[in-house]
Amino acid sequence: MYKVVEKGTPNSLDYRLFHVKDGVPVSAFHDIPLYTDDTNKYCNMVVEIPRWTNAKMEISKEEHLNPIKQDVKKGKLRYVNNVFPYHGYIWNYGAIPQTWEDPTHVDKDTGCKGDNDPLDAVEIGAGVATRGEVKQVKILGVVAMIDEGETDWKIVCIDRHDSMAEKLHDIADVEKLMPGLLQATRDWFRIYKFPTGKPMNEFAFNGEWKDRAFAEKVIVDTNTHWKTLMANKGVADDVTTSNTTVQNSYGYLSAGEGTQILNKQAEAAAMTPVVPASTQDQVFVNRTVPEQVCA
């Protein structure tokens, strides 16, 4: 349904992944629908980072048509450390399209403003996804991470076609049938930035996992914020709202304009720069440091 078009050179500053549907470039943030159909039973998820990989890829909020690119810190491409016993990301990681955590809105549950990104999602199925893949997922629950004072919801979901999907209906089922996964997930999010000199992340609700109904409410609320973003110029000047399907939005582009943006990108390169050796190293973190949570 969606074709992923690579531009530039992987593991380099010019690498981008664009999405195309029916020959027309689309935004992974704004054009791919939140729900797979009118029943609202399943959501779409855009895979940014396949399981076991280290490159910190993300939908670009700032660039037209919001391609997936590698995050950059201090001029260098960002890779997450392998914090023992984990290797890279321990699930398929990505974003829920047509959602937005409003940085001006203070969440009544967490007491913190949004992080200015689409909702993050971890897909816990057996398959290792491909970068840019659009999955149809079943929502199971959510945890509220507090990242440097900002609300950063983490939705837990599973590919609707995974063999476990028919057995998992809520977050309690994950705990029962996949013991250890939720604990490891919270631990991973708590410590993954620590080797870079950042503090350990905190969690609202004493780190409690919230159920499917709560997660679905978070999705509806952030979709409402996204609709406000798309309908009103100047809501967030650092977020590009260019799209080719959301008519009556101020960032709407014609198919021809979208194609021009795609064609201006660097062509895909045959050679791939070497991935840093650090992606194979291990880092050890003392878990006796008290876990910080927000009541």
Side-chain angles (χ1 to χ4, degrees):
M1 186 176 183
Y2 292 97
K3 179 183 177 181
V4 177
V5 177
E6 289 186 285
K7 292 289 186 176
T9 305
N11 305 312
S12 74
L13 294 174
D14 70 356
Y15 185 61
R16 301 290 186 274
L17 291 172
F18 286 84
H19 288 81
V20 174
K21 182 181 180 184
D22 299 329
V24 179
V26 297
S27 162
F29 191 170
H30 307 306
D31 287 312
I32 297 175
L34 167 58
Y35 297 107
T36 61
D37 56 37
D38 293 337
T39 67
N40 295 358
K41 185 176 181 180
Y42 300 105
C43 288
N44 284 309
M45 171 191 169
V46 180
V47 177
E48 299 164 315
I49 308 169
R51 189 166 72 237
W52 312 137
T53 62
N54 299 75
K56 180 68 173 73
M57 309 297 294
E58 61 185 14
I59 291 173
S60 172
K61 303 189 303 289
E62 301 82 11
E63 298 183 17
H64 288 298
L65 294 181
N66 311 106
I68 295 173
K69 69 174 187 178
Q70 192 162 354
D71 190 24
V72 177
K73 295 293 184 183
K74 298 180 179 179
K76 295 183 178 181
L77 296 172
R78 184 177 168 195
Y79 297 86
V80 299
N81 295 99
N82 297 315
V83 182
F84 182 84
Y86 312 119
H87 184 98
Y89 284 73
I90 60 175
W91 359 248
N92 297 311
Y93 188 78
I96 304 294
Q98 296 189 343
T99 63
W100 180 55
E101 297 195 57
D102 185 348
T104 68
H105 173 74
V106 177
D107 188 274
K108 66 180 181 62
D109 292 312
T110 67
C112 298
K113 295 179 180 179
D115 71 349
N116 201 29
D117 284 324
L119 280 176
D120 295 323
V122 297
E123 192 277 315
I124 60 174
V128 176
T130 57
R131 192 178 287 168
E133 179 180 351
V134 180
K135 282 183 171 290
Q136 297 183 350
V137 297
K138 185 178 186 178
I139 304 302
L140 299 171
V142 66
V143 69
M145 190 176 86
I146 308 299
D147 187 352
E148 299 185 31
E150 296 177 333
T151 303
D152 191 3
W153 298 103
K154 305 297 183 184
I155 299 289
V156 176
C157 59
I158 189 167
D159 188 322
R160 66 178 294 188
H161 302 296
D162 189 89
S163 61
M164 287 292 292
E166 63 182 17
K167 301 176 183 178
L168 300 176
H169 306 289
D170 215 318
I171 201 69
D173 298 322
V174 180
E175 186 63 52
K176 179 181 178 181
L177 299 176
M178 305 176 81
L181 177 61
L182 296 180
Q183 181 180 4
T185 295
R186 188 173 56 214
D187 181 56
W188 192 97
F189 280 123
R190 180 187 174 218
I191 64 175
Y192 82 104
K193 290 184 179 180
F194 193 70
T196 66
K198 296 282 188 178
M200 292 190 183
N201 287 318
E202 303 178 1
F203 297 90
F205 309 111
N206 293 317
E208 174 190 354
W209 289 91
K210 293 297 185 178
D211 63 13
R212 178 175 180 168
F214 193 103
E216 290 176 338
K217 181 180 182 302
V218 169
I219 290 170
V220 169
D221 288 346
T222 53
N223 176 246
T224 298
H225 294 154
W226 172 80
K227 290 177 180 176
T228 300
L229 170 71
M230 298 300 286
N232 299 277
K233 184 176 182 179
V235 171
D237 291 334
D238 57 342
V239 178
T240 299
T241 58
S242 60
N243 68 87
T244 56
T245 66
V246 188
Q247 298 187 22
N248 300 320
S249 64
Y250 77 89
Y252 179 73
L253 303 174
S254 68
E257 290 172 320
T259 300
Q260 287 179 1
I261 291 172
L262 182 61
N263 290 341
K264 288 180 180 179
Q265 305 298 313
E267 289 302 317
M271 296 183 63
T272 302
V274 177
V275 176
S278 62
T279 61
Q280 300 303 312
D281 295 339
Q282 286 187 321
V283 177
F284 298 88
V285 172
N286 187 352
R287 303 304 205 281
T288 61
V289 176
E291 183 170 0
Q292 299 294 313
V293 296
C294 301

